[in-house]
Amino acid sequence: MPLAADAVRFKGIERQDYRTFVAAYGHDVTDWAGFDTFADLCELRGLSS
C-alpha cells in the first residue's frame, strides 16, 4: 500500500516501474474502493512519526 500511494500521489517511482510491480504482484490496490482512505492513513502515519 505505501508503494502504491507513493506512486500515485507523489510520483515517488516511475509509473512504468509501478505497473511492473503490479504485474508481478497480480493485483493493483489502486483499483480498490478503499484505496484513497487507506492512502490518507499511510500519509498521516508518515507525518506523525
Side-chain angles (χ1 to χ4, degrees), residues 3 13-27:
L3 180 65
I13 65 170
E14 295 296 323
R15 193 70 177 164
Q16 183 56 42
D17 292 338
Y18 179 70
R19 289 284 158 216
T20 301
F21 170 77
V22 167
Y25 184 66
H27 179 72

Side-chain angles (χ1 to χ4, degrees), residues 42-49:
C42 285
E43 289 175 26
L44 180 61
R45 185 195 70 204
L47 290 171
S48 64
S49 58

Side-chain angles (χ1 to χ4, degrees), residues 19-41:
R19 289 284 158 216
T20 301
F21 170 77
V22 167
Y25 184 66
H27 179 72
D28 187 354
V29 295
T30 64
D31 293 335
W32 173 48
F35 171 75
D36 288 329
T37 301
F38 208 71
D40 287 345
L41 291 171

